[in-house]
Amino acid sequence: MDKEAILNVLKRVRYPGYTRDIVSFGLVREVSPRPGGGVLVSVCVTTRDEALQERLQGEIAAALSPLPGGPFEVRVTREEPSGQASRAASGGSAAPAAAPVPGRVPGVARVIAVASGKGGVGKSTVAVNLACALVRHCGAGRVGLLDCDMHGPSVPLMTGLLGRAPETDGENILPLENHGLRIMSLGFLMDEEAPVVWRGPMIMKAIRQFASQVAWGGVDVLVVDLPPGTGDAPLSLAQTVQLDGVVVVTTPQPAAAGVARRGAELFRKLGVPLLGVVENMGGSPGAASIFGSGGGEALAAQLGAPLLAQIPLDASVREGGDTGLPVVLAAPEGAPAQAFRKLAARVVD
């Protein structure tokens, strides 16, 4: 049995709906000779979708059939979450697990999260432009950008990397690079139109993988773009990664600021330092804002945190995100770019 040849063939089998193969996903659990001849290939997935399991089993069998050394017995099984497995084994309730201890991300000096309790306030826009502006302070290749918005990853589009897929070094995922950034997103690993229908354990598993299996290669600052809300993703990140600070994004609208405050309080309860507030989509000097005014200042005052920057509502910001050339690079002399550079300087301080 040539195990290496079998694994090389299995690297051509992609997990349905993703651009990534089942080997690099860590789904192949066993490749071993059978006592009576042939080879057992065992693959473990977390989905309950039996049709997907059957499809995957058929694709694996078809890929292996031309190889010598068969017949190949392919088993695709479902992995129970650890809590369910322990309860099933004991016949009762599992003992509560100890609270996880956040750790450092290999190859990363500092980790800054960009968060908000509300969607649509421009967290990804702020995260991408903040990361680009930090390159001026840290140097090209010294800033990382991690997209943890599992259900709506927009960083690939905003950084001009849509449709690209990362490679591996055999053990770790190699982040893609553009604009002087090292970038990782779930959007690189899945079909563009495929919905991510994940529950909490899968989100936690993905965040842990991003934290431990991406070869960041030594960056000074890793900016993390979080999804809205106070659910699984921000909680999993804070429990997995030792965060050096969080930047909270809001619009000037009081309703948005009120929800953002709940997001900020989540990180405070988790012991993450609050660096300050960014007010996005505000009015230009001398002009009224369609989102009102004062929300960022009020939120900063309520939290006892500094107002780091006020980003004006400007079409150039949207255009930069849509074209993959962030406004801080596309129009460096404009008011939005200046505001983002101010934000980066405050974060560095």
Side-chain angles (χ1 to χ4, degrees):
M1 180 194 72
D2 189 341
K3 182 176 180 180
E4 191 65 29
I6 293 173
L7 289 174
N8 285 336
V9 169
L10 294 178
K11 288 178 182 178
R12 305 173 198 160
V13 180
R14 295 182 176 180
Y15 191 82
Y18 290 77
T19 59
R20 195 168 171 195
D21 65 89
I22 61 174
V23 176
S24 63
F25 253 139
L27 302 179
V28 179
R29 299 301 172 84
E30 182 180 0
V31 176
S32 60
R34 302 288 289 158
V39 178
L40 169 66
V41 176
S42 177
V43 174
C44 195
V45 297
T46 57
T47 179
R48 295 179 181 271
D49 188 344
E50 294 182 2
L52 186 148
Q53 295 179 35
E54 292 176 2
R55 173 184 167 186
L56 191 57
Q57 184 167 346
E59 291 181 0
I60 295 170
L64 293 174
S65 61
L67 286 181
F72 295 94
E73 180 184 350
V74 179
R75 295 180 185 174
V76 178
T77 58
R78 178 179 177 271
E79 180 181 37
E80 291 286 343
S82 58
Q84 295 181 16
S86 60
R87 283 193 296 270
S90 64
S93 300
V101 178
R104 281 292 176 192
V105 178
V108 175
R110 296 286 185 270
V111 182
I112 305 299
V114 178
S116 179
K118 188 173 180 2
V121 299
K123 287 181 304 302
S124 296
T125 297
V126 170
V128 169
N129 281 280
L130 168 60
C132 288
L134 285 170
V135 172
R136 296 185 60 175
H137 296 267
C138 304
R142 305 296 300 179
V143 179
L145 177 61
L146 174 58
D147 183 1
C148 279
D149 192 343
M150 303 300 178
H151 297 287
S154 56
V155 164
L157 172 66
M158 290 185 170
T159 55
L161 295 172
L162 192 64
R164 296 275 302 279
E167 298 179 351
T168 68
D169 61 6
E171 296 183 0
N172 297 312
I173 307 170
L174 302 178
L176 296 178
E177 297 190 24
N178 203 15
H179 306 315
L181 303 174
R182 295 180 179 178
I183 306 164
M184 189 62 215
S185 170
L186 182 67
F188 296 145
L189 306 175
M190 58 183 292
D191 289 343
E192 186 178 338
E193 298 180 359
V196 180
V197 188
W198 283 0
R199 294 186 184 274
M202 283 295 291
I203 293 175
M204 177 171 281
K205 183 176 180 180
I207 288 177
R208 286 177 175 171
Q209 187 173 30
F210 282 161
S212 62
Q213 295 181 349
V214 175
W216 291 107
V219 300
D220 295 328
V221 183
L222 177 64
V223 178
V224 183
D225 177 27
L226 283 173
T230 55
D232 293 306
L235 183 60
S236 297
L237 179 73
Q239 291 179 333
T240 303
V241 174
Q242 185 175 335
L243 297 174
D244 295 282
V246 59
V247 173
V248 177
V249 182
T250 184
T251 64
Q253 185 180 8
V259 179
R261 181 178 181 179
R262 291 197 286 271
E265 293 297 346
L266 166 69
F267 286 98
R268 276 191 164 165
K269 289 182 178 180
L270 295 171
V272 179
L274 177 59
L275 299 184
V277 174
V278 174
E279 183 185 85
N280 191 32
M281 295 186 273
S284 299
S289 171
I290 62 172
F291 292 107
S293 63
E297 294 175 340
L299 177 61
Q302 291 168 2
L303 295 173
L307 180 62
L308 299 174
Q310 292 175 292
I311 315 299
L313 180 63
D314 193 294
S316 64
V317 179
R318 190 270 304 163
E319 291 166 358
D322 289 344
T323 60
L325 185 62
V327 69
V328 76
L329 303 176
E333 302 307 317
Q338 292 179 24
F340 281 122
R341 287 200 297 272
K342 176 184 176 182
L343 167 62
R346 297 290 300 276
V347 168
V348 169
D349 288 343

